[in-house]
Structure formats: structure tokens, C-alpha cells
Amino acid sequence: MNILIVGSGGREHALGWKIKQSKKVNQLFFAPGNAGTGELGTNLEIGVSDFSSLKKAVLEKNIHLMLVGPEVPLVEGIHDYFSNDPELQHIKVVGPKKHGAMLEGSKDFAKDFMLRHGIPTAKYTTVSKETLADGISFLKTMKAPYVLKADGLAAGKGVLIIDSFEEAARSLEKMLNGQFGEASSKVVIEEFLSGVELSVFVITDGKGYKILPEAKDYKRIGEGDTGLNTGGMGAISPVPFADAEFMGKIENQIIIPTIEGLQKENIEYNGFIFLGLINVGGNPYVIEYNVRMGDPETEAIMLRVKSDFVDLLEGAATGTLVEKNIEIDERATVTVMMVSGGYPGSYEKGKVITGIENVAGSIVFHAGTKTKDGQVVTNGGRIIAVSSYGENKEEALATSYANVNKIDFENKNFRKDLGFDL
Ligand code: AMP
Ligand code: GLY
């Protein structure tokens, strides 16, 4: 079958790498893709939110299955667009419809959903401009640090964690007055939870589900988890504290109630559920739902999925996931993200990337790259993910770091301390 992957990051390159290994795949396309995906399949110059051009391409290229990588087109209703169009109804789309995508598209919706279904999460209240005073009263009942979250999508920047009450009250007002545009017209105020975070991934058809390997990602730019939040500086799988008992709690207290909740509320859902979790004294709490795979977690965990991934995607798209098997590689995998100097602040693009051909023993996934005049150049903040296997995380990290040192571009940066906390 012909498959189209929507997106352009390291996640999409890693998904494509895994999908390409399936005997079921004939042609593989990416929209818009990057320099790396262009070597794996065909890049189509179409933005992820340009539904009419995606439609044209899907019909022209005879696509059978479309996998949507990022959250934005899902929240915008790409799946609904396809299933409402008689010409497109036969295409298998992996990714939830608009209603289900609200689990990521609205933090207020997600918190309400968790409350209705008894899923462990931080205490919260949601306020708008009209109820600012209630928000201030709620803040007074909380202890520092204070957690403020823009309700809508804010490209990973909409969460503020603030130490002083006065500053939190000021920030709340600023957010409600449009600091993150429409996304912060509502703000979720949350209790601060203290613990180590992890990412757990589920593929589902809305009834059945399979749990993919879990991972720990490193969001801060600076070593020792300091500095600004990024899209993710690296990932490690498995997560040592996620033993059978802890994973059992996640399945029983979070995954099953989530899927049953979707069913009870008649929310059709297929694709991925990415649980952003925190381990509070041995118990998992949901920090956030995402309705897609994680980036850079995908660049680590695709290496651990042994089963035919296209078979699982078909299972999700056709409601036959219970019939499918998932087999996981026991080895550890890691990914180290190489980023542009200055990221997540401002940075320059267009730097020539050299040395990828010297990499040995790791798998290179491109994130923000493009081809220009026959050369691969930087085209974003996160540039290259270097993924490796190992008998343990130390061995996998050593391999990735050895290869990171072979790849070069002006002002490259990466975290040298991945795994320090595990
Ligand atoms: P989110 O976008 O909701 O994942 O939040 C971004 C980051 O903020 C998370 O990865 C956590 O590190 C942190 N965070 C969010 N909510 C909380 C919370 N209730 N308690 C502690 N940390 C949080
Ligand atoms: N790695 C976190 C995310 O994809 O949102």
C-alpha cells in the first residue's frame, strides 16, 4: 500500500524509517518532510494544515493510509475533513477526529474528562477573563510553585511555573489578556506535582489498545534540567522506575479509564494517546494528554518496536487492533538531539551539516533540515536526532554521543548529561 506521513520532524522521519521496513509498503510519501525523509520516500511540498492540497495529493498518488504526525492538523479536524468527503472516505486515516483531539487541543476539556472518569491528575480550576477573581481566590488556596496553563495549543510554550503568588496573579491576568492569543483566553490553574516525568504511548482503535515502549524525555535546554523548555533534547527507553507494578497502575488507573471514557462519551478515536505522566511517590498522575506520538521519544522507541508497524496502524484505522500483536525489543534505546545554537530562543538557519556519512552504529533521524544546492542544511531549532541501541542506557548513550561528535554544523548544541537523573 502507499502511505503518506504528514509532518516534517524527527518524529516523522522515525515513523517513516519503521514503516519502510514493512513488507506491506509500496510507496512512502511525506508532507512536507525534511532532507532525511526525502531519502526514505518522496517529499511533497504541502503544509500540514493545507487540507485541500493534501486531498489532491492523496488522490493523485493513490494513498491508502495517511498517518498524521503533529497535533495541529488533528486539532484542526483533518480526519473529519477526510471522512466527510465522499472522494476520501476510503482512505485510512490514523489520528483522532476533532472531538478526540481536544484531549490535547484544550487543557480544560482534558481536565474535565479526567475528572469525569476518575483519572488521577493535579487539582485544578479553569478561569476566563470574567472569572479572574475566582482564579485569584483559587491561587490563594494553593501552595507555591503555581502552575498556569493556556487552555489551547501554544506550541509547548503555554505552561508557566511561578514561585511567587504576586507574580502568578499578574501572569494569570496577562495570560487572560491574550499573552498566548486565543490559546490563553481560558487558563487552567493547577496544583504543582513533584516527581519524575515519563511518557507513555498507546495505540488504539477506540476499543482495543497496545502499549508501546515508554520513554523519558529531556525538555530543558540546560544540563541538570535547567534553563528554558524546548521541544525535547533527547529521550531514553525503557524508563528504569517504570517496572511492571508501576506500568500496571498506569494501565488500570489511566489507560483503561481513558479508553472507556472515550467510548462512554461516544468519542470516536483512533491513533495514538501520549500520556505525559509524573511519578508522585510511586503513583502515576496525568500531566497532559497528547493525541500524537512524542518528539523526540518516537526517535528512541521506534527502535524498540519489533512488530510490523504498518500492521498496527491498519489495526488502529480499521478497528481490528485486538487481532494484532506487538513485540518489543528488550534492549535500551536513546536519542540525542542536536540543536541550533541559541535554540529555544532565536537561532540562524541554513548552516551546512557535515559528517552524517561517518556515523557508525547509530541511526540518524533528521528534524529541522532541508536540502539546498545539493547540501543538507539546518532549517529549524532541533536539527538531527542520533538514536542508538545498547544493552543498557549507558552503552546506548556512549554510542550516540560518539556519533554526535562526528556530525557538525556551525553553533551546534546538545545536552551531554542525558540519563543523569535515572
Ligand atoms: P505540559 O505542556 O502540560 O506538559 O507542561 C509542560 C511541563 O510543565 C511538564 O512537562 C512539566 O514538567 C511541567 N508541569 C506541567 N504541569 C505540572 C504540574 N501540575 N506540576 C508540576 N509540573 C508540571
Ligand atoms: N516530547 C514531548 C512532546 O512531544 O510533546
Side-chain angles (χ1 to χ4, degrees):
M1 74 173 98
N2 296 338
I3 295 185
L4 170 64
I5 300 177
V6 176
S8 63
R11 167 181 53 212
E12 286 74 24
H13 191 184
L15 289 166
W17 170 83
K18 181 64 197 162
I19 284 170
K20 192 73 191 280
Q21 295 166 17
S22 168
K23 288 191 188 68
K24 296 187 172 197
V25 180
N26 184 15
Q27 293 186 72
L28 183 59
F29 296 90
F30 296 85
N34 58 38
T37 65
E39 286 169 22
L40 206 57
T42 307
N43 286 344
L44 307 171
E45 249 180 79
I46 304 173
V48 300
S49 297
D50 184 354
F51 297 172
S52 60
S53 299
L54 287 170
K55 168 180 175 175
K56 215 165 136 246
V58 159
L59 296 174
E60 250 173 46
K61 308 290 183 197
N62 192 23
I63 303 294
H64 302 95
L65 185 146
M66 177 171 79
L67 167 59
V68 185
E71 65 278 14
V72 168
L74 292 167
V75 171
E76 289 171 345
I78 192 171
H79 192 157
D80 311 68
Y81 180 92
F82 271 62
S83 55
N84 292 336
D85 186 330
E87 285 182 84
L88 295 173
Q89 275 164 0
H90 64 287
I91 315 280
K92 298 184 180 87
V93 179
V94 179
K97 291 186 177 170
K98 208 169 180 164
H99 195 182
M102 281 177 74
L103 282 180
E104 178 164 2
S106 166
K107 303 237 184 236
D108 178 46
F109 177 88
K111 294 294 284 190
D112 254 356
F113 179 89
M114 287 186 262
L115 198 65
R116 283 197 295 279
H117 301 290
I119 294 164
T121 188
K123 284 200 211 69
Y124 80 105
T125 192
T126 302
V127 296
S128 62
K129 233 173 167 167
E130 292 69 42
T131 56
L132 171 65
D134 298 342
I136 304 289
S137 308
F138 185 78
L139 276 177
K140 282 187 184 149
T141 69
M142 296 271 120
K143 286 197 294 261
Y146 303 92
V147 182
L148 304 178
K149 299 185 173 185
D151 174 59
L153 292 184
K157 299 193 167 66
V159 175
L160 302 181
I161 297 179
I162 301 170
D163 284 325
S164 91
F165 170 80
E166 287 72 26
E167 199 193 331
R170 270 199 306 277
S171 289
L172 177 61
E173 192 167 355
K174 267 210 320 231
M175 287 176 89
L176 293 169
N177 282 319
Q179 185 181 359
F180 299 98
E182 189 50 35
S184 65
S185 62
K186 284 198 274 182
V187 173
V188 172
I189 307 172
E190 234 178 62
E191 167 197 21
F192 180 83
L193 299 176
S194 187
V196 185
E197 290 175 56
L198 82 159
S199 307
V200 169
F201 300 92
V202 177
I203 182 168
T204 180
D205 56 16
K207 307 183 297 283
Y209 63 88
K210 306 281 176 205
I211 302 176
L212 296 162
E214 79 287 353
K216 166 98 182 49
D217 87 335
Y218 291 82
K219 286 207 176 83
R220 304 292 198 94
I221 187 71
E223 266 133 43
D225 280 341
T226 54
L228 293 174
N229 254 324
T230 70
M233 297 295 291
I236 293 181
S237 180
V239 178
F241 67 80
D243 56 13
E245 189 193 346
F246 192 68
M247 289 303 288
K249 287 183 184 173
I250 293 171
E251 184 164 13
N252 291 317
Q253 297 170 16
I254 297 169
I255 297 173
I256 293 172
T258 297
I259 290 173
E260 287 181 354
L262 290 168
Q263 281 174 341
K264 281 184 203 146
E265 300 191 20
N266 290 317
I267 302 174
E268 257 181 71
Y269 197 106
N270 96 61
F272 301 101
I273 302 175
F274 160 0
L275 303 163
L277 305 175
I278 189 160
N279 176 356
V280 184
N283 290 308
Y285 284 75
V286 179
I287 291 274
E288 63 167 350
Y289 282 115
N290 297 300
V291 298
R292 53 173 172 86
M293 289 298 289
D295 194 349
E297 292 94 326
T298 305
E299 291 94 302
I301 70 181
M302 279 303 116
L303 276 66
R304 297 193 60 215
V305 177
K306 278 201 201 159
S307 334
D308 184 325
F309 200 60
V310 174
D311 198 39
L312 292 170
L313 295 175
E314 275 188 295
T318 59
T320 55
L321 206 54
V322 293
E323 299 163 22
K324 310 293 185 187
N325 272 320
I326 182 159
E327 220 193 314
I328 305 298
D329 196 314
E330 292 298 318
R331 284 176 291 175
T333 60
V334 304
T335 191
V336 178
M337 188 63 82
M338 302 178 68
V339 306
S340 298
Y343 172 80
S346 57
Y347 51 83
E348 290 174 19
K349 293 185 188 178
K351 308 292 182 196
V352 175
I353 304 169
T354 56
I356 295 177
E357 68 284 0
N358 300 327
V359 167
S362 293
I363 300 154
V364 172
F365 296 122
H366 290 230
T369 70
K370 68 173 184 181
T371 312
K372 193 179 165 214
D373 306 326
Q375 285 179 307
V376 177
V377 301
T378 65
N379 189 38
R382 292 193 292 173
I383 305 299
I384 296 269
V386 180
S387 298
S388 311
Y389 291 97
E391 283 312 312
N392 49 44
K393 65 178 187 308
E394 289 75 19
E395 196 181 300
L397 282 165
T399 305
S400 272
Y401 282 128
N403 284 311
V404 160
N405 287 321
K406 296 179 188 166
I407 301 175
D408 208 17
F409 53 88
E410 200 182 307
N411 283 331
K412 76 171 179 183
N413 186 24
F414 60 93
R415 264 182 69 168
K416 298 164 192 70
D417 68 337
L418 299 189
F420 78 97
D421 55 339
L422 294 177

